[in-house]
Amino acid sequence: MRNFQCSCGQILFFENTRCLNCGEEVGFDPLRSTMGPVGGKTVCQNRIDYDVCNWFVTMPDASYCTSCSLNHTIPNLLAPDRRRWWKNLEHAKRRLIYSLISLGLPIVGKQEDENGLAFEFIEDQRTNPRVYEKHVNTGHHNGLITINIAEADEVNREISRQYTGELYRTLLGHFRHESGHYYYYLLVVRNGKLGEFRELFGDESQDYADALEQYYAVKSNVIKDPEYISHYAQSHPLEDWAEVWSHYLHMVDTLDTASVYGMQQGSSSWDDIDELTSKWSELSVMLNALNRSMGLEDAYPFTLSELTLRKLRFVHGLIYPD
C-alpha cells in the first residue's frame, strides 16, 4: 500500500478524507489509484450520509463507489457502536479491493452477475439479542462474503482470537481469506487448474461440512503440521487454499508498503515470485523483531515450509500466468 500526496505537498494516507496540513477535502480514485481533492468529483453516498467512505464514484449515474456498490447488507446503524463497527469493516474492505485492483483481478458485483461478489455485515444474538440470527459465521457462499460485525470490535475479536487459539486474527485477514474462496472458482476451476490444485492442496471434493465438524471437534488436541501455513489450513483443502491466498495478499501488500518507504526488502514488482518470497523472509523477520522491541506479539507468527512456498508460487502463477 503506497502513500499519496496532497497538492500542498503533505502526505496523504489511504484512509484520509481531509489533508491535515491545508484542510482540503480529499478522496481516492479507484480507476487511477490516486488520491486528490474532491473538487468537482462525485463522492460516494456513504460518505455523504454516514462518513464511512472516502472513495470517488467512477461509474456514470452511480451513487456508490466501487467498494460500497458491493454491499448487500450493512449493520443496523441505530444500535450503539454499529456505525463505528461498520466504518472499521469498510476500511478493511477497501484495502482488500485496492489490492484486488492492483493485482488486476476481476471485480464484478452481483448486480451485474449472479455469481459476482457481494458483502453482508450482520450480527447474531451473542452480541445483540434482538436480532433473528442465533449464530453468524464469517464465511463465503457463491460470491457472498459474510462478516460477523462483532469482528469489527477489538475486544470481541481478541476474545475470539484467544478462544480459537489463532495467532493472527484481523478484519483485513478475514476479508482476504474469504476472498480466496471467491477467486478459487474464478482462477482455479474456470481455468482448468484443478489437477494442479489437488497435487498441492488435496482433494477439495471431500465433504466440507464433515471436515469442519471433525476439525473443531478435535482442534485443541491436534498438533499443527509444519507443512501447513496455519492450524486452520489443516481443516480442509479449500481452507488451506484460502489461508495461502490471504497470506499471498499479506505479502505483496506489505512488500509494496516497504518499497514506498525505500526499504531494500520492499518490492513493487511482483513478477518474480522467488524474489518476492526471499524479500518477504527478510522483511517478516524484521517486522517481528521490531514488534518484540516494542513489547508486542510477532506481526507475522508463521513459518513458510517448502510445500507452502510451492502453494504460494501456484497462487502467483494464477494471478500472473505466463
mmCIF file of all heavy atoms in Angstrom, residues 1 4 14-17 26-31 33-35 38 41-48 52-58 63-70 90-101 107:
data_model
loop_
_atom_site.group_PDB
_atom_site.id
_atom_site.type_symbol
_atom_site.label_atom_id
_atom_site.label_comp_id
_atom_site.label_asym_id
_atom_site.label_seq_id
_atom_site.Cartn_x
_atom_site.Cartn_y
_atom_site.Cartn_z
ATOM 1 N N MET A 1 0.844 -1.187 0.000
ATOM 2 C CA MET A 1 0.000 0.000 0.000
ATOM 3 C C MET A 1 0.885 1.244 0.000
ATOM 4 O O MET A 1 1.680 1.442 0.904
ATOM 5 C CB MET A 1 -0.904 -0.010 1.226
ATOM 6 C CG MET A 1 -1.699 1.259 1.431
ATOM 7 S SD MET A 1 -2.916 1.541 0.134
ATOM 8 C CE MET A 1 -4.081 0.232 0.487
ATOM 9 N N PHE A 4 0.110 8.702 -0.586
ATOM 10 C CA PHE A 4 -0.191 9.647 -1.653
ATOM 11 C C PHE A 4 0.221 11.037 -1.194
ATOM 12 O O PHE A 4 0.709 11.223 -0.086
ATOM 13 C CB PHE A 4 -1.687 9.580 -1.993
ATOM 14 C CG PHE A 4 -2.153 8.181 -2.316
ATOM 15 C CD1 PHE A 4 -2.594 7.313 -1.310
ATOM 16 C CD2 PHE A 4 -2.130 7.716 -3.615
ATOM 17 C CE1 PHE A 4 -3.013 6.026 -1.604
ATOM 18 C CE2 PHE A 4 -2.542 6.418 -3.921
ATOM 19 C CZ PHE A 4 -2.981 5.583 -2.912
ATOM 20 N N PHE A 14 -4.108 6.342 2.983
ATOM 21 C CA PHE A 14 -5.208 5.721 2.254
ATOM 22 C C PHE A 14 -6.573 6.024 2.872
ATOM 23 O O PHE A 14 -7.579 6.103 2.167
ATOM 24 C CB PHE A 14 -4.971 4.207 2.197
ATOM 25 C CG PHE A 14 -5.939 3.453 1.340
ATOM 26 C CD1 PHE A 14 -6.026 3.690 -0.024
ATOM 27 C CD2 PHE A 14 -6.761 2.484 1.893
ATOM 28 C CE1 PHE A 14 -6.906 2.976 -0.822
ATOM 29 C CE2 PHE A 14 -7.640 1.758 1.107
ATOM 30 C CZ PHE A 14 -7.713 2.008 -0.249
ATOM 31 N N GLU A 15 -6.629 6.195 4.186
ATOM 32 C CA GLU A 15 -7.901 6.421 4.860
ATOM 33 C C GLU A 15 -8.275 7.902 4.986
ATOM 34 O O GLU A 15 -9.372 8.232 5.460
ATOM 35 C CB GLU A 15 -7.884 5.804 6.265
ATOM 36 C CG GLU A 15 -7.945 4.273 6.290
ATOM 37 C CD GLU A 15 -6.603 3.617 6.004
ATOM 38 O OE1 GLU A 15 -5.579 4.328 6.049
ATOM 39 O OE2 GLU A 15 -6.581 2.410 5.728
ATOM 40 N N ASN A 16 -7.388 8.819 4.586
ATOM 41 C CA ASN A 16 -7.651 10.245 4.782
ATOM 42 C C ASN A 16 -8.886 10.731 4.019
ATOM 43 O O ASN A 16 -9.138 10.320 2.881
ATOM 44 C CB ASN A 16 -6.458 11.074 4.328
ATOM 45 C CG ASN A 16 -5.314 11.087 5.325
ATOM 46 O OD1 ASN A 16 -4.157 11.262 4.953
ATOM 47 N ND2 ASN A 16 -5.607 10.907 6.600
ATOM 48 N N THR A 17 -9.652 11.596 4.664
ATOM 49 C CA THR A 17 -10.749 12.298 3.993
ATOM 50 C C THR A 17 -10.438 13.791 3.877
ATOM 51 O O THR A 17 -11.133 14.520 3.157
ATOM 52 C CB THR A 17 -12.069 12.143 4.763
ATOM 53 O OG1 THR A 17 -11.888 12.621 6.107
ATOM 54 C CG2 THR A 17 -12.499 10.676 4.800
ATOM 55 N N VAL A 26 -10.314 15.427 0.584
ATOM 56 C CA VAL A 26 -9.683 14.565 -0.412
ATOM 57 C C VAL A 26 -10.420 13.232 -0.484
ATOM 58 O O VAL A 26 -11.216 12.885 0.388
ATOM 59 C CB VAL A 26 -8.191 14.319 -0.086
ATOM 60 C CG1 VAL A 26 -7.395 15.617 -0.110
ATOM 61 C CG2 VAL A 26 -8.051 13.630 1.272
ATOM 62 N N GLY A 27 -10.127 12.494 -1.539
ATOM 63 C CA GLY A 27 -10.704 11.169 -1.707
ATOM 64 C C GLY A 27 -9.841 10.324 -2.614
ATOM 65 O O GLY A 27 -8.857 10.804 -3.199
ATOM 66 N N PHE A 28 -10.221 9.052 -2.743
ATOM 67 C CA PHE A 28 -9.447 8.091 -3.535
ATOM 68 C C PHE A 28 -10.193 7.764 -4.817
ATOM 69 O O PHE A 28 -11.404 7.506 -4.808
ATOM 70 C CB PHE A 28 -9.218 6.808 -2.726
ATOM 71 C CG PHE A 28 -8.452 5.750 -3.464
ATOM 72 C CD1 PHE A 28 -7.076 5.853 -3.629
ATOM 73 C CD2 PHE A 28 -9.101 4.646 -4.008
ATOM 74 C CE1 PHE A 28 -6.370 4.871 -4.315
ATOM 75 C CE2 PHE A 28 -8.401 3.666 -4.688
ATOM 76 C CZ PHE A 28 -7.025 3.780 -4.846
ATOM 77 N N ASP A 29 -9.449 7.774 -5.923
ATOM 78 C CA ASP A 29 -9.995 7.417 -7.231
ATOM 79 C C ASP A 29 -9.553 5.997 -7.566
ATOM 80 O O ASP A 29 -8.383 5.775 -7.890
ATOM 81 C CB ASP A 29 -9.480 8.386 -8.300
ATOM 82 C CG ASP A 29 -10.086 8.122 -9.665
ATOM 83 O OD1 ASP A 29 -10.536 6.990 -9.924
ATOM 84 O OD2 ASP A 29 -10.098 9.049 -10.502
ATOM 85 N N PRO A 30 -10.457 4.988 -7.482
ATOM 86 C CA PRO A 30 -10.037 3.605 -7.720
ATOM 87 C C PRO A 30 -9.667 3.298 -9.167
ATOM 88 O O PRO A 30 -8.961 2.327 -9.423
ATOM 89 C CB PRO A 30 -11.271 2.788 -7.283
ATOM 90 C CG PRO A 30 -12.417 3.728 -7.409
ATOM 91 C CD PRO A 30 -11.871 5.087 -7.105
ATOM 92 N N LEU A 31 -10.115 4.113 -10.112
ATOM 93 C CA LEU A 31 -9.739 3.885 -11.511
ATOM 94 C C LEU A 31 -8.290 4.239 -11.769
ATOM 95 O O LEU A 31 -7.588 3.549 -12.508
ATOM 96 C CB LEU A 31 -10.641 4.701 -12.450
ATOM 97 C CG LEU A 31 -12.017 4.132 -12.786
ATOM 98 C CD1 LEU A 31 -12.726 5.046 -13.783
ATOM 99 C CD2 LEU A 31 -11.905 2.721 -13.359
ATOM 100 N N SER A 33 -6.099 4.901 -9.126
ATOM 101 C CA SER A 33 -5.320 4.597 -7.917
ATOM 102 C C SER A 33 -4.571 5.824 -7.418
ATOM 103 O O SER A 33 -3.379 5.782 -7.105
ATOM 104 C CB SER A 33 -4.339 3.440 -8.177
ATOM 105 O OG SER A 33 -5.043 2.231 -8.314
ATOM 106 N N THR A 34 -5.296 6.935 -7.373
ATOM 107 C CA THR A 34 -4.721 8.195 -6.895
ATOM 108 C C THR A 34 -5.639 8.813 -5.853
ATOM 109 O O THR A 34 -6.842 8.524 -5.808
ATOM 110 C CB THR A 34 -4.542 9.199 -8.049
ATOM 111 O OG1 THR A 34 -5.827 9.449 -8.657
ATOM 112 C CG2 THR A 34 -3.577 8.664 -9.090
ATOM 113 N N MET A 35 -5.056 9.675 -5.034
ATOM 114 C CA MET A 35 -5.837 10.458 -4.087
ATOM 115 C C MET A 35 -5.669 11.920 -4.425
ATOM 116 O O MET A 35 -4.584 12.366 -4.821
ATOM 117 C CB MET A 35 -5.391 10.205 -2.642
ATOM 118 C CG MET A 35 -5.804 8.854 -2.106
ATOM 119 S SD MET A 35 -5.644 8.744 -0.304
ATOM 120 C CE MET A 35 -7.043 9.726 0.234
ATOM 121 N N VAL A 38 -11.418 16.705 -3.578
ATOM 122 C CA VAL A 38 -12.753 16.350 -4.031
ATOM 123 C C VAL A 38 -13.132 17.169 -5.249
ATOM 124 O O VAL A 38 -13.599 16.636 -6.263
ATOM 125 C CB VAL A 38 -13.780 16.554 -2.885
ATOM 126 C CG1 VAL A 38 -15.199 16.414 -3.421
ATOM 127 C CG2 VAL A 38 -13.533 15.546 -1.769
ATOM 128 N N LYS A 41 -15.508 16.213 -8.256
ATOM 129 C CA LYS A 41 -15.705 14.768 -8.374
ATOM 130 C C LYS A 41 -16.945 14.329 -7.580
ATOM 131 O O LYS A 41 -17.351 14.977 -6.621
ATOM 132 C CB LYS A 41 -14.468 14.013 -7.894
ATOM 133 C CG LYS A 41 -13.202 14.321 -8.704
ATOM 134 C CD LYS A 41 -12.045 13.500 -8.200
ATOM 135 C CE LYS A 41 -10.784 13.758 -9.009
ATOM 136 N NZ LYS A 41 -10.277 15.154 -8.798
ATOM 137 N N THR A 42 -17.490 13.201 -7.966
ATOM 138 C CA THR A 42 -18.649 12.638 -7.265
ATOM 139 C C THR A 42 -18.164 11.765 -6.124
ATOM 140 O O THR A 42 -17.421 10.805 -6.335
ATOM 141 C CB THR A 42 -19.513 11.794 -8.217
ATOM 142 O OG1 THR A 42 -19.927 12.592 -9.330
ATOM 143 C CG2 THR A 42 -20.739 11.262 -7.489
ATOM 144 N N VAL A 43 -18.574 12.102 -4.912
ATOM 145 C CA VAL A 43 -18.158 11.307 -3.753
ATOM 146 C C VAL A 43 -19.212 10.241 -3.479
ATOM 147 O O VAL A 43 -20.386 10.377 -3.843
ATOM 148 C CB VAL A 43 -17.952 12.184 -2.501
ATOM 149 C CG1 VAL A 43 -16.854 13.201 -2.742
ATOM 150 C CG2 VAL A 43 -19.245 12.872 -2.094
ATOM 151 N N CYS A 44 -18.791 9.168 -2.832
ATOM 152 C CA CYS A 44 -19.678 8.052 -2.517
ATOM 153 C C CYS A 44 -20.800 8.503 -1.577
ATOM 154 O O CYS A 44 -20.571 9.297 -0.657
ATOM 155 C CB CYS A 44 -18.866 6.922 -1.887
ATOM 156 S SG CYS A 44 -19.834 5.446 -1.477
ATOM 157 N N GLN A 45 -21.981 7.974 -1.801
ATOM 158 C CA GLN A 45 -23.131 8.322 -0.970
ATOM 159 C C GLN A 45 -22.907 7.955 0.489
ATOM 160 O O GLN A 45 -23.421 8.614 1.393
ATOM 161 C CB GLN A 45 -24.383 7.612 -1.494
ATOM 162 C CG GLN A 45 -25.692 8.149 -0.933
ATOM 163 C CD GLN A 45 -25.999 9.562 -1.391
ATOM 164 O OE1 GLN A 45 -25.705 9.933 -2.529
ATOM 165 N NE2 GLN A 45 -26.568 10.370 -0.512
ATOM 166 N N ASN A 46 -22.112 6.914 0.728
ATOM 167 C CA ASN A 46 -21.832 6.519 2.109
ATOM 168 C C ASN A 46 -20.924 7.519 2.826
ATOM 169 O O ASN A 46 -20.843 7.511 4.054
ATOM 170 C CB ASN A 46 -21.214 5.126 2.153
ATOM 171 C CG ASN A 46 -22.255 4.035 2.041
ATOM 172 O OD1 ASN A 46 -23.429 4.246 2.339
ATOM 173 N ND2 ASN A 46 -21.841 2.854 1.594
ATOM 174 N N ARG A 47 -20.256 8.361 2.059
ATOM 175 C CA ARG A 47 -19.506 9.457 2.678
ATOM 176 C C ARG A 47 -20.457 10.588 3.052
ATOM 177 O O ARG A 47 -20.358 11.159 4.144
ATOM 178 C CB ARG A 47 -18.442 9.968 1.709
ATOM 179 C CG ARG A 47 -17.655 11.174 2.243
ATOM 180 C CD ARG A 47 -16.523 11.549 1.333
ATOM 181 N NE ARG A 47 -15.723 12.639 1.862
ATOM 182 C CZ ARG A 47 -14.481 12.892 1.495
ATOM 183 N NH1 ARG A 47 -13.890 12.124 0.596
ATOM 184 N NH2 ARG A 47 -13.815 13.907 2.012
ATOM 185 N N ILE A 48 -21.386 10.875 2.171
ATOM 186 C CA ILE A 48 -22.342 11.949 2.405
ATOM 187 C C ILE A 48 -23.253 11.622 3.582
ATOM 188 O O ILE A 48 -23.480 12.450 4.471
ATOM 189 C CB ILE A 48 -23.187 12.195 1.132
ATOM 190 C CG1 ILE A 48 -22.288 12.650 -0.025
ATOM 191 C CG2 ILE A 48 -24.289 13.214 1.402
ATOM 192 C CD1 ILE A 48 -22.992 12.687 -1.365
ATOM 193 N N VAL A 52 -18.422 7.066 6.189
ATOM 194 C CA VAL A 52 -17.704 5.800 6.344
ATOM 195 C C VAL A 52 -16.896 5.451 5.088
ATOM 196 O O VAL A 52 -16.330 4.370 5.008
ATOM 197 C CB VAL A 52 -18.666 4.626 6.668
ATOM 198 C CG1 VAL A 52 -19.369 4.861 7.990
ATOM 199 C CG2 VAL A 52 -19.660 4.402 5.546
ATOM 200 N N CYS A 53 -16.837 6.348 4.113
ATOM 201 C CA CYS A 53 -16.141 6.044 2.864
ATOM 202 C C CYS A 53 -15.385 7.279 2.386
ATOM 203 O O CYS A 53 -15.819 8.416 2.634
ATOM 204 C CB CYS A 53 -17.146 5.594 1.791
ATOM 205 S SG CYS A 53 -16.378 5.121 0.221
ATOM 206 N N ASN A 54 -14.260 7.074 1.708
ATOM 207 C CA ASN A 54 -13.519 8.204 1.142
ATOM 208 C C ASN A 54 -13.180 7.991 -0.344
ATOM 209 O O ASN A 54 -12.259 8.593 -0.868
ATOM 210 C CB ASN A 54 -12.231 8.467 1.939
ATOM 211 C CG ASN A 54 -11.186 7.379 1.753
ATOM 212 O OD1 ASN A 54 -11.523 6.235 1.395
ATOM 213 N ND2 ASN A 54 -9.923 7.698 1.992
ATOM 214 N N TRP A 55 -13.956 7.126 -1.022
ATOM 215 C CA TRP A 55 -13.704 6.865 -2.437
ATOM 216 C C TRP A 55 -14.626 7.706 -3.320
ATOM 217 O O TRP A 55 -15.747 8.053 -2.937
ATOM 218 C CB TRP A 55 -13.922 5.378 -2.746
ATOM 219 C CG TRP A 55 -12.758 4.518 -2.340
ATOM 220 C CD1 TRP A 55 -11.819 4.797 -1.395
ATOM 221 C CD2 TRP A 55 -12.430 3.233 -2.866
ATOM 222 N NE1 TRP A 55 -10.914 3.768 -1.294
ATOM 223 C CE2 TRP A 55 -11.271 2.782 -2.185
ATOM 224 C CE3 TRP A 55 -13.004 2.402 -3.822
ATOM 225 C CZ2 TRP A 55 -10.666 1.558 -2.452
ATOM 226 C CZ3 TRP A 55 -12.409 1.173 -4.089
ATOM 227 C CH2 TRP A 55 -11.253 0.754 -3.415
ATOM 228 N N PHE A 56 -14.126 7.993 -4.531
ATOM 229 C CA PHE A 56 -14.937 8.672 -5.526
ATOM 230 C C PHE A 56 -15.767 7.657 -6.311
ATOM 231 O O PHE A 56 -15.372 6.490 -6.459
ATOM 232 C CB PHE A 56 -14.059 9.447 -6.502
ATOM 233 C CG PHE A 56 -13.275 10.565 -5.868
ATOM 234 C CD1 PHE A 56 -11.937 10.760 -6.179
ATOM 235 C CD2 PHE A 56 -13.873 11.428 -4.956
ATOM 236 C CE1 PHE A 56 -11.209 11.779 -5.607
ATOM 237 C CE2 PHE A 56 -13.155 12.451 -4.368
ATOM 238 C CZ PHE A 56 -11.825 12.643 -4.691
ATOM 239 N N VAL A 57 -16.893 8.111 -6.820
ATOM 240 C CA VAL A 57 -17.734 7.291 -7.687
ATOM 241 C C VAL A 57 -17.172 7.394 -9.104
ATOM 242 O O VAL A 57 -16.936 8.498 -9.607
ATOM 243 C CB VAL A 57 -19.197 7.776 -7.659
ATOM 244 C CG1 VAL A 57 -20.051 6.982 -8.629
ATOM 245 C CG2 VAL A 57 -19.754 7.673 -6.244
ATOM 246 N N THR A 58 -16.949 6.260 -9.735
ATOM 247 C CA THR A 58 -16.325 6.264 -11.065
ATOM 248 C C THR A 58 -17.248 5.755 -12.168
ATOM 249 O O THR A 58 -16.901 5.857 -13.341
ATOM 250 C CB THR A 58 -15.048 5.395 -11.051
ATOM 251 O OG1 THR A 58 -15.365 4.079 -10.591
ATOM 252 C CG2 THR A 58 -13.993 6.002 -10.136
ATOM 253 N N SER A 63 -24.365 6.049 -7.508
ATOM 254 C CA SER A 63 -24.329 6.790 -6.244
ATOM 255 C C SER A 63 -23.235 6.290 -5.308
ATOM 256 O O SER A 63 -22.832 7.009 -4.389
ATOM 257 C CB SER A 63 -25.688 6.678 -5.526
ATOM 258 O OG SER A 63 -26.728 7.223 -6.297
ATOM 259 N N TYR A 64 -22.795 5.047 -5.553
ATOM 260 C CA TYR A 64 -21.821 4.435 -4.656
ATOM 261 C C TYR A 64 -20.530 4.097 -5.394
ATOM 262 O O TYR A 64 -20.536 3.836 -6.604
ATOM 263 C CB TYR A 64 -22.410 3.170 -4.021
ATOM 264 C CG TYR A 64 -23.599 3.464 -3.141
ATOM 265 C CD1 TYR A 64 -24.903 3.381 -3.627
ATOM 266 C CD2 TYR A 64 -23.419 3.853 -1.812
ATOM 267 C CE1 TYR A 64 -25.993 3.670 -2.822
ATOM 268 C CE2 TYR A 64 -24.500 4.145 -1.000
ATOM 269 C CZ TYR A 64 -25.782 4.058 -1.505
ATOM 270 O OH TYR A 64 -26.864 4.354 -0.708
ATOM 271 N N CYS A 65 -19.436 4.082 -4.657
ATOM 272 C CA CYS A 65 -18.126 3.783 -5.235
ATOM 273 C C CYS A 65 -18.007 2.288 -5.539
ATOM 274 O O CYS A 65 -18.898 1.489 -5.218
ATOM 275 C CB CYS A 65 -17.022 4.214 -4.272
ATOM 276 S SG CYS A 65 -16.907 3.194 -2.777
ATOM 277 N N THR A 66 -16.889 1.922 -6.138
ATOM 278 C CA THR A 66 -16.638 0.522 -6.496
ATOM 279 C C THR A 66 -16.744 -0.403 -5.293
ATOM 280 O O THR A 66 -17.298 -1.495 -5.384
ATOM 281 C CB THR A 66 -15.235 0.386 -7.120
ATOM 282 O OG1 THR A 66 -15.158 1.216 -8.273
ATOM 283 C CG2 THR A 66 -14.945 -1.053 -7.506
ATOM 284 N N SER A 67 -16.239 0.036 -4.163
ATOM 285 C CA SER A 67 -16.250 -0.804 -2.962
ATOM 286 C C SER A 67 -17.640 -0.876 -2.339
ATOM 287 O O SER A 67 -18.162 -1.956 -2.064
ATOM 288 C CB SER A 67 -15.238 -0.273 -1.939
ATOM 289 O OG SER A 67 -15.258 -1.027 -0.756
ATOM 290 N N CYS A 68 -18.273 0.271 -2.114
ATOM 291 C CA CYS A 68 -19.576 0.280 -1.441
ATOM 292 C C CYS A 68 -20.680 -0.321 -2.299
ATOM 293 O O CYS A 68 -21.685 -0.808 -1.764
ATOM 294 C CB CYS A 68 -19.943 1.704 -1.042
ATOM 295 S SG CYS A 68 -18.934 2.355 0.322
ATOM 296 N N SER A 69 -20.516 -0.296 -3.627
ATOM 297 C CA SER A 69 -21.537 -0.873 -4.503
ATOM 298 C C SER A 69 -21.627 -2.389 -4.343
ATOM 299 O O SER A 69 -22.595 -3.004 -4.789
ATOM 300 C CB SER A 69 -21.248 -0.521 -5.970
ATOM 301 O OG SER A 69 -20.043 -1.125 -6.401
ATOM 302 N N LEU A 70 -20.628 -2.998 -3.696
ATOM 303 C CA LEU A 70 -20.627 -4.443 -3.479
ATOM 304 C C LEU A 70 -21.370 -4.843 -2.206
ATOM 305 O O LEU A 70 -21.521 -6.026 -1.919
ATOM 306 C CB LEU A 70 -19.182 -4.961 -3.407
ATOM 307 C CG LEU A 70 -18.327 -4.748 -4.659
ATOM 308 C CD1 LEU A 70 -16.878 -5.149 -4.380
ATOM 309 C CD2 LEU A 70 -18.869 -5.535 -5.841
ATOM 310 N N GLU A 90 -15.564 -1.233 6.606
ATOM 311 C CA GLU A 90 -15.360 -0.608 5.297
ATOM 312 C C GLU A 90 -13.896 -0.263 5.065
ATOM 313 O O GLU A 90 -13.392 -0.381 3.945
ATOM 314 C CB GLU A 90 -16.237 0.642 5.160
ATOM 315 C CG GLU A 90 -17.732 0.357 5.111
ATOM 316 C CD GLU A 90 -18.153 -0.430 3.875
ATOM 317 O OE1 GLU A 90 -17.385 -0.496 2.900
ATOM 318 O OE2 GLU A 90 -19.262 -0.988 3.881
ATOM 319 N N HIS A 91 -13.193 0.163 6.109
ATOM 320 C CA HIS A 91 -11.752 0.429 5.974
ATOM 321 C C HIS A 91 -11.025 -0.830 5.490
ATOM 322 O O HIS A 91 -10.205 -0.781 4.568
ATOM 323 C CB HIS A 91 -11.153 0.877 7.315
ATOM 324 C CG HIS A 91 -11.367 2.317 7.633
ATOM 325 N ND1 HIS A 91 -11.559 3.286 6.681
ATOM 326 C CD2 HIS A 91 -11.410 2.973 8.828
ATOM 327 C CE1 HIS A 91 -11.708 4.464 7.258
ATOM 328 N NE2 HIS A 91 -11.628 4.305 8.569
ATOM 329 N N ALA A 92 -11.322 -1.952 6.143
ATOM 330 C CA ALA A 92 -10.656 -3.207 5.785
ATOM 331 C C ALA A 92 -11.069 -3.653 4.386
ATOM 332 O O ALA A 92 -10.228 -4.110 3.597
ATOM 333 C CB ALA A 92 -10.988 -4.289 6.813
ATOM 334 N N LYS A 93 -12.348 -3.523 4.058
ATOM 335 C CA LYS A 93 -12.822 -3.954 2.737
ATOM 336 C C LYS A 93 -12.159 -3.150 1.626
ATOM 337 O O LYS A 93 -11.788 -3.701 0.585
ATOM 338 C CB LYS A 93 -14.336 -3.846 2.642
ATOM 339 C CG LYS A 93 -14.902 -4.180 1.244
ATOM 340 C CD LYS A 93 -16.343 -4.592 1.313
ATOM 341 C CE LYS A 93 -17.259 -3.452 1.689
ATOM 342 N NZ LYS A 93 -17.450 -2.474 0.561
ATOM 343 N N ARG A 94 -12.022 -1.847 1.825
ATOM 344 C CA ARG A 94 -11.394 -1.023 0.776
ATOM 345 C C ARG A 94 -9.929 -1.397 0.573
ATOM 346 O O ARG A 94 -9.419 -1.337 -0.551
ATOM 347 C CB ARG A 94 -11.536 0.460 1.116
ATOM 348 C CG ARG A 94 -12.944 0.992 0.885
ATOM 349 C CD ARG A 94 -12.977 2.502 0.863
ATOM 350 N NE ARG A 94 -12.597 3.089 2.128
ATOM 351 C CZ ARG A 94 -13.443 3.295 3.149
ATOM 352 N NH1 ARG A 94 -14.714 2.943 3.026
ATOM 353 N NH2 ARG A 94 -13.021 3.837 4.268
ATOM 354 N N ARG A 95 -9.257 -1.805 1.631
ATOM 355 C CA ARG A 95 -7.870 -2.258 1.452
ATOM 356 C C ARG A 95 -7.828 -3.550 0.634
ATOM 357 O O ARG A 95 -6.939 -3.734 -0.201
ATOM 358 C CB ARG A 95 -7.183 -2.462 2.810
ATOM 359 C CG ARG A 95 -6.702 -1.157 3.421
ATOM 360 C CD ARG A 95 -5.794 -1.337 4.616
ATOM 361 N NE ARG A 95 -5.204 -0.046 4.974
ATOM 362 C CZ ARG A 95 -3.958 0.312 4.731
ATOM 363 N NH1 ARG A 95 -3.142 -0.513 4.105
ATOM 364 N NH2 ARG A 95 -3.504 1.499 5.091
ATOM 365 N N LEU A 96 -8.795 -4.433 0.871
ATOM 366 C CA LEU A 96 -8.879 -5.638 0.052
ATOM 367 C C LEU A 96 -9.134 -5.276 -1.405
ATOM 368 O O LEU A 96 -8.424 -5.750 -2.303
ATOM 369 C CB LEU A 96 -10.000 -6.550 0.549
ATOM 370 C CG LEU A 96 -10.372 -7.705 -0.408
ATOM 371 C CD1 LEU A 96 -9.248 -8.726 -0.483
ATOM 372 C CD2 LEU A 96 -11.688 -8.339 -0.008
ATOM 373 N N ILE A 97 -10.137 -4.429 -1.662
ATOM 374 C CA ILE A 97 -10.489 -4.073 -3.032
ATOM 375 C C ILE A 97 -9.320 -3.381 -3.722
ATOM 376 O O ILE A 97 -9.052 -3.631 -4.904
ATOM 377 C CB ILE A 97 -11.742 -3.172 -3.062
ATOM 378 C CG1 ILE A 97 -12.933 -3.889 -2.391
ATOM 379 C CG2 ILE A 97 -12.092 -2.781 -4.482
ATOM 380 C CD1 ILE A 97 -13.312 -5.197 -3.044
ATOM 381 N N TYR A 98 -8.604 -2.529 -2.999
ATOM 382 C CA TYR A 98 -7.407 -1.880 -3.557
ATOM 383 C C TYR A 98 -6.398 -2.920 -4.028
ATOM 384 O O TYR A 98 -5.840 -2.819 -5.133
ATOM 385 C CB TYR A 98 -6.776 -0.965 -2.506
ATOM 386 C CG TYR A 98 -5.442 -0.380 -2.917
ATOM 387 C CD1 TYR A 98 -5.369 0.828 -3.593
ATOM 388 C CD2 TYR A 98 -4.245 -1.035 -2.609
ATOM 389 C CE1 TYR A 98 -4.138 1.374 -3.963
ATOM 390 C CE2 TYR A 98 -3.027 -0.503 -2.972
ATOM 391 C CZ TYR A 98 -2.968 0.697 -3.649
ATOM 392 O OH TYR A 98 -1.746 1.215 -4.025
ATOM 393 N N SER A 99 -6.150 -3.931 -3.203
ATOM 394 C CA SER A 99 -5.199 -4.986 -3.563
ATOM 395 C C SER A 99 -5.666 -5.754 -4.791
ATOM 396 O O SER A 99 -4.880 -6.059 -5.691
ATOM 397 C CB SER A 99 -4.985 -5.953 -2.398
ATOM 398 O OG SER A 99 -4.317 -5.333 -1.325
ATOM 399 N N LEU A 100 -6.962 -6.083 -4.837
ATOM 400 C CA LEU A 100 -7.501 -6.833 -5.975
ATOM 401 C C LEU A 100 -7.370 -6.030 -7.262
ATOM 402 O O LEU A 100 -7.027 -6.573 -8.321
ATOM 403 C CB LEU A 100 -8.968 -7.194 -5.715
ATOM 404 C CG LEU A 100 -9.263 -8.048 -4.475
ATOM 405 C CD1 LEU A 100 -10.759 -8.300 -4.345
ATOM 406 C CD2 LEU A 100 -8.487 -9.360 -4.513
ATOM 407 N N ILE A 101 -7.640 -4.722 -7.174
ATOM 408 C CA ILE A 101 -7.476 -3.852 -8.341
ATOM 409 C C ILE A 101 -6.017 -3.809 -8.760
ATOM 410 O O ILE A 101 -5.686 -3.918 -9.954
ATOM 411 C CB ILE A 101 -7.997 -2.432 -8.029
ATOM 412 C CG1 ILE A 101 -9.519 -2.439 -7.859
ATOM 413 C CG2 ILE A 101 -7.600 -1.455 -9.134
ATOM 414 C CD1 ILE A 101 -10.086 -1.117 -7.367
ATOM 415 N N ILE A 107 -13.314 -7.781 -10.637
ATOM 416 C CA ILE A 107 -14.245 -7.444 -9.556
ATOM 417 C C ILE A 107 -15.588 -7.141 -10.197
ATOM 418 O O ILE A 107 -15.785 -6.073 -10.789
ATOM 419 C CB ILE A 107 -13.760 -6.227 -8.743
ATOM 420 C CG1 ILE A 107 -12.362 -6.485 -8.174
ATOM 421 C CG2 ILE A 107 -14.736 -5.915 -7.612
ATOM 422 C CD1 ILE A 107 -11.743 -5.276 -7.504
#
